[in-house]
Amino acid sequence: MQRISVLFPTPTGCYDYRAEADMPAGAFVRVPFGRRQAVGVVWDAPPDNTIPPEKIKPAAEILSVPPLGAQTIAFVNWVAGYTLSPVGMVLKMALIPDLEKTSKKPLTFGAPDPAHQTIRFSDKQAEAVRQLAGIDGFGVALLDGVTGSGKTEVYFEAIAQRLVDGGQVLVLLPEIALTTAWLDRFETRFGVKPAVWHSALTPKQRRDTWLAVAQGRTSVVVGARSALFLPFRDLKLIVVDEEHDTSFKQEEGVLYHARDMAIVRAKIAGCPIVLASATPSLETYCNAAAGKYRHITLPDRFADARMPDILIADMRCRDKGAVRFISPLLCQKLTEHLARGEQALLFLNRRGYAPLVLCRACGHRFQCPHCSAWLVEHKSGGRLQCHHCGHAIPKPAECPACHEADSLVSCGPGVERIHEEIAALFPAARAEIVTSEHIDNPAQFADLLGRMQTGLIDILIGTQMLAKGYHFANLTLVGVIDADMGLGGGDLRAGERTFQLLHQVMGRAGRAAKQGTAVLQSFNPDNMIIGALKNNDRTAFLAAETQARQMLEMPPFGRLAAIIVSGKNQAPAWEAARKIAGAAPKDADIAVLGPVAAPMALLRNKYRFRILVKTGRDCKLQKMLAGWLSRVRCPAGVDVRLDIDPYSFY
Ligand code: ADP
Ligand code: ZN
């Protein structure tokens, strides 16, 4: 009898079966499972020979679906080991629902033509192209250049060169940047649209694309982070655009960082990987500085486009009486730019009208009953809403605590409030709000970009949705309403994220021939990050940030893992968190911080506690954590999650 291991897309792991025919690793099989049939994948794990032969059921049927290749299997195993997740849950990300259905009219994918368009590169760009072409086998390159320097053109050329002999290419973009604008650009360059992969695909699109990738019928896939788990057979190149973007970190289910895992996937495939960014993450930057990655720079904007002039509006000297979120300086610049018929973008990373509503009479604040969060006022719907769980109530006419009428005040601005202020200041201007509530599919986004391009909009007011990946020739003014917003909170990457985001937002101004202006409104104009932004001095920022992290032995100079313990009942969750912290290995080179109540101490009705584990760079983190947690038994109803290399600390 030949025993095989079959893995199911569940947390439980592999089960032994008897192979009835040749059933190689990667094959999809239908097998009896309890009283029903289940589909699993023959796995390359050794069978569990302790189970007596008579208990082993036959794996009767092999499905006519292309098997997962050895590289995909190796990748799934690696991710599971790194994130300390059950292999089955990682496998789940590599499968598609309704695998066996066949589409009546399957999607077809055209073959990109590397020679469809020829580009004349500048000397610097040509040198970057040459360096990328020079990578033989696995290798990581940081393609580092300001917005508008031609990074996209350069990596398009690398794609063209790698595709000449066939094979496949994966381009990862932050979900938000997966716009028609990018796809149109790809089509201009290669004559066809690439295959796309993101959360808004229909099940049929998913299935057709998955099958086309598995059968090698599509050569270029552009996708959000989950595209990493597609069954590529013959990867020739991976590109991670906007590699610094924190949305590459998946925060639900299997907690992985798509940029880091992309490097692993490239290593398994033995192909190069390009990390592109105007503001590289500190991790990537340090790896490049240490010579582990090739550092390819494009220092200038293409053609005549220049970086914008940057002005700081010091919000401390505001006239106290004025309820203005738009400073006199920004107001003046808006007047000038609008008078010239140019467009402006106002950036505020906060949806709704006001982040907090309170009663002037008794001080009552509206809080979410399910989360440690204030309810955000949304004026458009007349609601107060929790941005974490969706809980919403109509805004009451009187205070529910003291019953005083007309006593509720809205504190602080959200984009709706900025819109209101703009309407009062510039009644003739056509202003539009852009957030994930207003735009939730690519068609709506394309429509918005179209109206912007044809000049139907004067002022865009929006969240970070507007920071990415496209450019408007006539957009010459960017106003950052609250440049300090990301700096509080004290999380490890707060400064880095603020620098990256604001740098990117400001880069939206003046990308074509016209000179741009950016106005940063700040209460801390002396802050190092605001200063580095003002002087467009990335080097100073990176040097200071590197030094601070080095001193604190924080990543990339040390390693972090978070243990998040949560439960519907507070006491058992707290008890479990204390037990876990108490069981920490004593000998190892680790620091255990906590347990403490998480900043979001209550989230969707669950109480949360956090333990932060800090180790040296060479610590075998996974092995240490696995051993540690195996010594603690947690009661039912208490959930323990591990976050290796955490990016969020809420
Ligand atoms: P980045 O990706 O660094 O932001 P892009 O590749 O988007 O830069 O380039 C910015 C703009 O300049 C785009 O419109 C692009 O088509 C154009 N561009 C860049 N390099 C060239 C080139 N060599 N020839 C023609 N247009 C170019
Ligand atoms: Zn809530």
Side-chain angles (χ1 to χ4, degrees), residues 311-331 348 413 418 421 479-485 519-526 530:
L311 309 171
I312 307 285
D314 186 344
M315 300 302 276
R316 291 173 304 187
C317 20
R318 277 197 318 179
D319 173 2
K320 286 258 170 8
V323 202
R324 281 281 161 86
F325 297 104
I326 296 170
S327 61
L329 177 63
L330 180 52
C331 192
L348 177 62
I418 299 302
E421 203 167 295
V480 176
I481 301 296
D482 184 358
D484 312 322
M485 192 166 141
V519 177
L520 292 181
Q521 303 195 143
S522 171
F523 285 93
N524 299 289
D526 304 328
I530 305 288

mmCIF file of all heavy atoms in Angstrom, residues 311-331 348 413 418 421 479-485 519-526 530:
data_model
loop_
_atom_site.group_PDB
_atom_site.id
_atom_site.type_symbol
_atom_site.label_atom_id
_atom_site.label_comp_id
_atom_site.label_asym_id
_atom_site.label_seq_id
_atom_site.Cartn_x
_atom_site.Cartn_y
_atom_site.Cartn_z
ATOM 1 N N LEU A 311 5.836 74.573 1.416
ATOM 2 C CA LEU A 311 5.615 75.634 2.393
ATOM 3 C C LEU A 311 4.988 75.042 3.643
ATOM 4 O O LEU A 311 4.186 74.122 3.560
ATOM 5 C CB LEU A 311 4.657 76.687 1.821
ATOM 6 C CG LEU A 311 5.015 77.242 0.438
ATOM 7 C CD1 LEU A 311 3.887 78.101 -0.099
ATOM 8 C CD2 LEU A 311 6.321 78.043 0.535
ATOM 9 N N ILE A 312 5.393 75.576 4.785
ATOM 10 C CA ILE A 312 4.808 75.100 6.046
ATOM 11 C C ILE A 312 3.848 76.164 6.579
ATOM 12 O O ILE A 312 4.229 77.325 6.695
ATOM 13 C CB ILE A 312 5.909 74.861 7.116
ATOM 14 C CG1 ILE A 312 7.012 73.949 6.578
ATOM 15 C CG2 ILE A 312 5.293 74.312 8.408
ATOM 16 C CD1 ILE A 312 6.659 72.510 6.475
ATOM 17 N N ALA A 313 2.626 75.763 6.875
ATOM 18 C CA ALA A 313 1.697 76.674 7.543
ATOM 19 C C ALA A 313 1.724 76.339 9.032
ATOM 20 O O ALA A 313 1.326 75.247 9.431
ATOM 21 C CB ALA A 313 0.291 76.515 6.982
ATOM 22 N N ASP A 314 2.236 77.272 9.819
ATOM 23 C CA ASP A 314 2.353 77.053 11.263
ATOM 24 C C ASP A 314 0.985 77.278 11.893
ATOM 25 O O ASP A 314 0.512 78.400 12.003
ATOM 26 C CB ASP A 314 3.391 78.029 11.831
ATOM 27 C CG ASP A 314 3.662 77.766 13.309
ATOM 28 O OD1 ASP A 314 2.845 77.064 13.950
ATOM 29 O OD2 ASP A 314 4.696 78.253 13.800
ATOM 30 N N MET A 315 0.349 76.213 12.330
ATOM 31 C CA MET A 315 -1.031 76.310 12.806
ATOM 32 C C MET A 315 -1.123 76.885 14.216
ATOM 33 O O MET A 315 -2.203 77.184 14.698
ATOM 34 C CB MET A 315 -1.709 74.934 12.763
ATOM 35 C CG MET A 315 -1.765 74.323 11.373
ATOM 36 S SD MET A 315 -2.634 75.355 10.170
ATOM 37 C CE MET A 315 -4.330 74.875 10.494
ATOM 38 N N ARG A 316 0.042 77.035 14.886
ATOM 39 C CA ARG A 316 0.010 77.552 16.254
ATOM 40 C C ARG A 316 -0.400 79.010 16.277
ATOM 41 O O ARG A 316 -0.950 79.495 17.238
ATOM 42 C CB ARG A 316 1.380 77.410 16.913
ATOM 43 C CG ARG A 316 1.743 75.972 17.192
ATOM 44 C CD ARG A 316 3.159 75.867 17.678
ATOM 45 N NE ARG A 316 4.085 76.481 16.714
ATOM 46 C CZ ARG A 316 5.396 76.413 16.828
ATOM 47 N NH1 ARG A 316 5.938 75.808 17.853
ATOM 48 N NH2 ARG A 316 6.169 76.972 15.922
ATOM 49 N N CYS A 317 -0.076 79.747 15.191
ATOM 50 C CA CYS A 317 -0.400 81.169 15.230
ATOM 51 C C CYS A 317 -1.740 81.461 14.572
ATOM 52 O O CYS A 317 -1.969 82.523 14.037
ATOM 53 C CB CYS A 317 0.724 81.998 14.608
ATOM 54 S SG CYS A 317 1.803 81.111 13.536
ATOM 55 N N ARG A 318 -2.632 80.468 14.606
ATOM 56 C CA ARG A 318 -3.974 80.730 14.084
ATOM 57 C C ARG A 318 -4.702 81.722 14.970
ATOM 58 O O ARG A 318 -4.529 81.724 16.181
ATOM 59 C CB ARG A 318 -4.787 79.426 14.076
ATOM 60 C CG ARG A 318 -4.536 78.580 12.890
ATOM 61 C CD ARG A 318 -5.620 77.562 12.743
ATOM 62 N NE ARG A 318 -6.012 76.947 14.011
ATOM 63 C CZ ARG A 318 -6.965 76.039 14.100
ATOM 64 N NH1 ARG A 318 -7.604 75.654 13.030
ATOM 65 N NH2 ARG A 318 -7.274 75.507 15.255
ATOM 66 N N ASP A 319 -5.563 82.480 14.359
ATOM 67 C CA ASP A 319 -6.478 83.326 15.120
ATOM 68 C C ASP A 319 -7.414 82.399 15.888
ATOM 69 O O ASP A 319 -8.128 81.602 15.312
ATOM 70 C CB ASP A 319 -7.249 84.198 14.118
ATOM 71 C CG ASP A 319 -8.350 84.993 14.803
ATOM 72 O OD1 ASP A 319 -8.468 84.884 16.042
ATOM 73 O OD2 ASP A 319 -9.061 85.707 14.102
ATOM 74 N N LYS A 320 -7.376 82.511 17.213
ATOM 75 C CA LYS A 320 -8.103 81.556 18.054
ATOM 76 C C LYS A 320 -9.604 81.520 17.760
ATOM 77 O O LYS A 320 -10.250 80.497 17.826
ATOM 78 C CB LYS A 320 -7.879 81.891 19.538
ATOM 79 C CG LYS A 320 -6.492 81.525 20.034
ATOM 80 C CD LYS A 320 -6.536 80.230 20.822
ATOM 81 C CE LYS A 320 -5.181 79.638 21.173
ATOM 82 N NZ LYS A 320 -3.975 80.373 20.925
ATOM 83 N N GLY A 321 -10.165 82.698 17.442
ATOM 84 C CA GLY A 321 -11.603 82.765 17.218
ATOM 85 C C GLY A 321 -12.064 82.027 15.969
ATOM 86 O O GLY A 321 -13.167 81.493 15.933
ATOM 87 N N ALA A 322 -11.225 81.989 14.955
ATOM 88 C CA ALA A 322 -11.657 81.437 13.672
ATOM 89 C C ALA A 322 -11.758 79.920 13.719
ATOM 90 O O ALA A 322 -10.835 79.252 14.133
ATOM 91 C CB ALA A 322 -10.683 81.865 12.584
ATOM 92 N N VAL A 323 -12.887 79.380 13.330
ATOM 93 C CA VAL A 323 -13.012 77.927 13.251
ATOM 94 C C VAL A 323 -12.593 77.527 11.846
ATOM 95 O O VAL A 323 -13.406 77.177 11.011
ATOM 96 C CB VAL A 323 -14.451 77.456 13.504
ATOM 97 C CG1 VAL A 323 -14.452 76.002 13.946
ATOM 98 C CG2 VAL A 323 -15.129 78.319 14.531
ATOM 99 N N ARG A 324 -11.338 77.591 11.591
ATOM 100 C CA ARG A 324 -10.853 77.334 10.254
ATOM 101 C C ARG A 324 -9.883 76.170 10.296
ATOM 102 O O ARG A 324 -8.951 76.172 11.073
ATOM 103 C CB ARG A 324 -10.114 78.574 9.722
ATOM 104 C CG ARG A 324 -11.010 79.663 9.233
ATOM 105 C CD ARG A 324 -11.535 79.346 7.843
ATOM 106 N NE ARG A 324 -12.717 80.124 7.513
ATOM 107 C CZ ARG A 324 -12.682 81.346 6.994
ATOM 108 N NH1 ARG A 324 -11.542 81.921 6.744
ATOM 109 N NH2 ARG A 324 -13.800 81.962 6.716
ATOM 110 N N PHE A 325 -10.126 75.195 9.463
ATOM 111 C CA PHE A 325 -9.148 74.117 9.339
ATOM 112 C C PHE A 325 -8.221 74.387 8.174
ATOM 113 O O PHE A 325 -7.237 73.710 7.983
ATOM 114 C CB PHE A 325 -9.869 72.782 9.207
ATOM 115 C CG PHE A 325 -10.671 72.453 10.427
ATOM 116 C CD1 PHE A 325 -12.045 72.587 10.438
ATOM 117 C CD2 PHE A 325 -10.026 72.077 11.594
ATOM 118 C CE1 PHE A 325 -12.773 72.316 11.585
ATOM 119 C CE2 PHE A 325 -10.740 71.811 12.748
ATOM 120 C CZ PHE A 325 -12.128 71.928 12.741
ATOM 121 N N ILE A 326 -8.594 75.378 7.378
ATOM 122 C CA ILE A 326 -7.747 75.764 6.254
ATOM 123 C C ILE A 326 -7.063 77.075 6.622
ATOM 124 O O ILE A 326 -7.723 78.085 6.880
ATOM 125 C CB ILE A 326 -8.601 75.913 4.985
ATOM 126 C CG1 ILE A 326 -9.193 74.538 4.643
ATOM 127 C CG2 ILE A 326 -7.777 76.451 3.828
ATOM 128 C CD1 ILE A 326 -10.225 74.558 3.567
ATOM 129 N N SER A 327 -5.730 77.021 6.681
ATOM 130 C CA SER A 327 -4.969 78.181 7.145
ATOM 131 C C SER A 327 -5.024 79.306 6.113
ATOM 132 O O SER A 327 -5.276 79.059 4.934
ATOM 133 C CB SER A 327 -3.519 77.762 7.368
ATOM 134 O OG SER A 327 -2.975 77.300 6.137
ATOM 135 N N PRO A 328 -4.738 80.531 6.567
ATOM 136 C CA PRO A 328 -4.684 81.652 5.617
ATOM 137 C C PRO A 328 -3.708 81.373 4.458
ATOM 138 O O PRO A 328 -4.000 81.701 3.318
ATOM 139 C CB PRO A 328 -4.199 82.819 6.478
ATOM 140 C CG PRO A 328 -4.613 82.462 7.875
ATOM 141 C CD PRO A 328 -4.553 80.966 7.954
ATOM 142 N N LEU A 329 -2.570 80.727 4.769
ATOM 143 C CA LEU A 329 -1.599 80.451 3.716
ATOM 144 C C LEU A 329 -2.174 79.511 2.662
ATOM 145 O O LEU A 329 -2.070 79.755 1.452
ATOM 146 C CB LEU A 329 -0.326 79.838 4.331
ATOM 147 C CG LEU A 329 0.754 79.432 3.331
ATOM 148 C CD1 LEU A 329 1.291 80.639 2.578
ATOM 149 C CD2 LEU A 329 1.908 78.696 4.036
ATOM 150 N N LEU A 330 -2.795 78.428 3.113
ATOM 151 C CA LEU A 330 -3.370 77.474 2.160
ATOM 152 C C LEU A 330 -4.506 78.134 1.376
ATOM 153 O O LEU A 330 -4.656 77.940 0.167
ATOM 154 C CB LEU A 330 -3.871 76.226 2.901
ATOM 155 C CG LEU A 330 -4.502 75.125 2.042
ATOM 156 C CD1 LEU A 330 -3.609 74.720 0.884
ATOM 157 C CD2 LEU A 330 -4.828 73.892 2.900
ATOM 158 N N CYS A 331 -5.275 78.972 2.077
ATOM 159 C CA CYS A 331 -6.380 79.680 1.444
ATOM 160 C C CYS A 331 -5.860 80.583 0.323
ATOM 161 O O CYS A 331 -6.386 80.601 -0.784
ATOM 162 C CB CYS A 331 -7.102 80.492 2.516
ATOM 163 S SG CYS A 331 -8.654 81.141 1.964
ATOM 164 N N LEU A 348 -6.506 64.709 3.758
ATOM 165 C CA LEU A 348 -6.760 64.493 5.183
ATOM 166 C C LEU A 348 -7.161 63.035 5.337
ATOM 167 O O LEU A 348 -8.149 62.588 4.759
ATOM 168 C CB LEU A 348 -7.889 65.407 5.689
ATOM 169 C CG LEU A 348 -8.276 65.194 7.161
ATOM 170 C CD1 LEU A 348 -7.105 65.486 8.085
ATOM 171 C CD2 LEU A 348 -9.474 66.055 7.538
ATOM 172 N N PRO A 413 -11.602 67.923 12.353
ATOM 173 C CA PRO A 413 -12.103 67.793 10.993
ATOM 174 C C PRO A 413 -11.974 66.385 10.416
ATOM 175 O O PRO A 413 -11.047 65.648 10.711
ATOM 176 C CB PRO A 413 -11.191 68.734 10.216
ATOM 177 C CG PRO A 413 -9.868 68.628 10.926
ATOM 178 C CD PRO A 413 -10.160 68.274 12.367
ATOM 179 N N ILE A 418 -13.954 69.540 5.759
ATOM 180 C CA ILE A 418 -13.094 70.353 4.892
ATOM 181 C C ILE A 418 -13.890 70.767 3.652
ATOM 182 O O ILE A 418 -13.812 71.906 3.182
ATOM 183 C CB ILE A 418 -11.827 69.554 4.490
ATOM 184 C CG1 ILE A 418 -11.026 69.179 5.744
ATOM 185 C CG2 ILE A 418 -10.981 70.342 3.514
ATOM 186 C CD1 ILE A 418 -10.585 70.354 6.596
ATOM 187 N N GLU A 421 -16.031 73.618 4.511
ATOM 188 C CA GLU A 421 -15.287 74.861 4.632
ATOM 189 C C GLU A 421 -14.892 75.410 3.254
ATOM 190 O O GLU A 421 -14.921 76.620 3.021
ATOM 191 C CB GLU A 421 -14.035 74.619 5.501
ATOM 192 C CG GLU A 421 -13.527 75.883 6.138
ATOM 193 C CD GLU A 421 -12.512 75.605 7.235
ATOM 194 O OE1 GLU A 421 -12.887 74.997 8.252
ATOM 195 O OE2 GLU A 421 -11.341 75.981 7.073
ATOM 196 N N GLY A 479 -2.536 70.442 -0.542
ATOM 197 C CA GLY A 479 -2.604 70.942 0.832
ATOM 198 C C GLY A 479 -2.758 69.769 1.776
ATOM 199 O O GLY A 479 -3.662 68.963 1.625
ATOM 200 N N VAL A 480 -1.827 69.656 2.731
ATOM 201 C CA VAL A 480 -1.938 68.603 3.738
ATOM 202 C C VAL A 480 -2.578 69.237 4.969
ATOM 203 O O VAL A 480 -1.967 70.094 5.614
ATOM 204 C CB VAL A 480 -0.562 67.998 4.068
ATOM 205 C CG1 VAL A 480 -0.675 66.973 5.186
ATOM 206 C CG2 VAL A 480 0.044 67.368 2.820
ATOM 207 N N ILE A 481 -3.823 68.853 5.256
ATOM 208 C CA ILE A 481 -4.591 69.532 6.300
ATOM 209 C C ILE A 481 -3.978 69.313 7.680
ATOM 210 O O ILE A 481 -3.913 70.222 8.484
ATOM 211 C CB ILE A 481 -6.062 69.035 6.302
ATOM 212 C CG1 ILE A 481 -6.704 69.306 4.939
ATOM 213 C CG2 ILE A 481 -6.869 69.673 7.435
ATOM 214 C CD1 ILE A 481 -6.840 70.759 4.574
ATOM 215 N N ASP A 482 -3.528 68.113 7.943
ATOM 216 C CA ASP A 482 -2.987 67.808 9.267
ATOM 217 C C ASP A 482 -1.729 66.971 9.130
ATOM 218 O O ASP A 482 -1.775 65.749 9.173
ATOM 219 C CB ASP A 482 -4.051 67.071 10.088
ATOM 220 C CG ASP A 482 -3.596 66.810 11.518
ATOM 221 O OD1 ASP A 482 -2.443 67.157 11.855
ATOM 222 O OD2 ASP A 482 -4.393 66.253 12.292
ATOM 223 N N ALA A 483 -0.601 67.653 8.957
ATOM 224 C CA ALA A 483 0.652 66.940 8.722
ATOM 225 C C ALA A 483 1.111 66.181 9.963
ATOM 226 O O ALA A 483 1.904 65.253 9.879
ATOM 227 C CB ALA A 483 1.740 67.917 8.268
ATOM 228 N N ASP A 484 0.592 66.550 11.126
ATOM 229 C CA ASP A 484 1.040 65.921 12.375
ATOM 230 C C ASP A 484 0.282 64.637 12.690
ATOM 231 O O ASP A 484 0.639 63.918 13.620
ATOM 232 C CB ASP A 484 0.816 66.871 13.560
ATOM 233 C CG ASP A 484 1.336 68.269 13.284
ATOM 234 O OD1 ASP A 484 2.397 68.366 12.645
ATOM 235 O OD2 ASP A 484 0.687 69.235 13.703
ATOM 236 N N MET A 485 -0.781 64.392 11.922
ATOM 237 C CA MET A 485 -1.732 63.373 12.315
ATOM 238 C C MET A 485 -1.121 62.014 12.612
ATOM 239 O O MET A 485 -1.466 61.374 13.586
ATOM 240 C CB MET A 485 -2.760 63.217 11.212
ATOM 241 C CG MET A 485 -3.932 62.417 11.628
ATOM 242 S SD MET A 485 -5.218 62.656 10.399
ATOM 243 C CE MET A 485 -5.839 61.028 10.339
ATOM 244 N N VAL A 519 1.527 72.666 0.549
ATOM 245 C CA VAL A 519 1.420 73.369 1.831
ATOM 246 C C VAL A 519 1.168 72.335 2.919
ATOM 247 O O VAL A 519 0.214 71.563 2.842
ATOM 248 C CB VAL A 519 0.263 74.395 1.814
ATOM 249 C CG1 VAL A 519 0.133 75.063 3.187
ATOM 250 C CG2 VAL A 519 0.481 75.430 0.720
ATOM 251 N N LEU A 520 2.063 72.293 3.894
ATOM 252 C CA LEU A 520 1.907 71.372 5.025
ATOM 253 C C LEU A 520 1.411 72.162 6.222
ATOM 254 O O LEU A 520 2.096 73.063 6.691
ATOM 255 C CB LEU A 520 3.256 70.756 5.411
ATOM 256 C CG LEU A 520 3.929 69.789 4.465
ATOM 257 C CD1 LEU A 520 5.238 69.308 5.089
ATOM 258 C CD2 LEU A 520 3.027 68.606 4.202
ATOM 259 N N GLN A 521 0.240 71.832 6.731
ATOM 260 C CA GLN A 521 -0.258 72.508 7.931
ATOM 261 C C GLN A 521 0.172 71.704 9.148
ATOM 262 O O GLN A 521 -0.112 70.518 9.252
ATOM 263 C CB GLN A 521 -1.782 72.609 7.877
ATOM 264 C CG GLN A 521 -2.283 73.340 6.636
ATOM 265 C CD GLN A 521 -3.747 73.756 6.748
ATOM 266 O OE1 GLN A 521 -4.101 74.817 6.272
ATOM 267 N NE2 GLN A 521 -4.586 72.941 7.366
ATOM 268 N N SER A 522 0.893 72.376 10.057
ATOM 269 C CA SER A 522 1.445 71.638 11.192
ATOM 270 C C SER A 522 1.446 72.475 12.465
ATOM 271 O O SER A 522 1.658 73.685 12.432
ATOM 272 C CB SER A 522 2.883 71.211 10.882
ATOM 273 O OG SER A 522 3.499 70.690 12.040
ATOM 274 N N PHE A 523 1.212 71.797 13.590
ATOM 275 C CA PHE A 523 1.384 72.420 14.893
ATOM 276 C C PHE A 523 2.797 72.197 15.423
ATOM 277 O O PHE A 523 3.160 72.686 16.470
ATOM 278 C CB PHE A 523 0.370 71.858 15.908
ATOM 279 C CG PHE A 523 -1.017 72.376 15.712
ATOM 280 C CD1 PHE A 523 -1.922 71.681 14.932
ATOM 281 C CD2 PHE A 523 -1.407 73.582 16.286
ATOM 282 C CE1 PHE A 523 -3.204 72.172 14.738
ATOM 283 C CE2 PHE A 523 -2.684 74.074 16.097
ATOM 284 C CZ PHE A 523 -3.592 73.371 15.323
ATOM 285 N N ASN A 524 3.566 71.375 14.724
ATOM 286 C CA ASN A 524 4.940 71.050 15.142
ATOM 287 C C ASN A 524 5.931 71.323 14.022
ATOM 288 O O ASN A 524 6.624 70.416 13.580
ATOM 289 C CB ASN A 524 5.071 69.564 15.480
ATOM 290 C CG ASN A 524 4.173 69.142 16.608
ATOM 291 O OD1 ASN A 524 4.413 69.515 17.741
ATOM 292 N ND2 ASN A 524 3.141 68.388 16.284
ATOM 293 N N PRO A 525 5.997 72.546 13.565
ATOM 294 C CA PRO A 525 6.865 72.790 12.398
ATOM 295 C C PRO A 525 8.331 72.465 12.670
ATOM 296 O O PRO A 525 9.102 72.276 11.732
ATOM 297 C CB PRO A 525 6.657 74.273 12.095
ATOM 298 C CG PRO A 525 6.012 74.855 13.293
ATOM 299 C CD PRO A 525 5.315 73.759 14.016
ATOM 300 N N ASP A 526 8.710 72.348 13.957
ATOM 301 C CA ASP A 526 10.115 72.044 14.262
ATOM 302 C C ASP A 526 10.399 70.554 14.314
ATOM 303 O O ASP A 526 11.536 70.144 14.502
ATOM 304 C CB ASP A 526 10.507 72.666 15.611
ATOM 305 C CG ASP A 526 10.259 74.154 15.626
ATOM 306 O OD1 ASP A 526 10.396 74.769 14.541
ATOM 307 O OD2 ASP A 526 9.915 74.697 16.695
ATOM 308 N N ILE A 530 8.800 66.808 9.770
ATOM 309 C CA ILE A 530 8.256 67.936 9.012
ATOM 310 C C ILE A 530 9.410 68.699 8.346
ATOM 311 O O ILE A 530 9.334 69.087 7.179
ATOM 312 C CB ILE A 530 7.448 68.887 9.937
ATOM 313 C CG1 ILE A 530 6.344 68.116 10.679
ATOM 314 C CG2 ILE A 530 6.890 70.072 9.161
ATOM 315 C CD1 ILE A 530 5.180 67.674 9.860
#
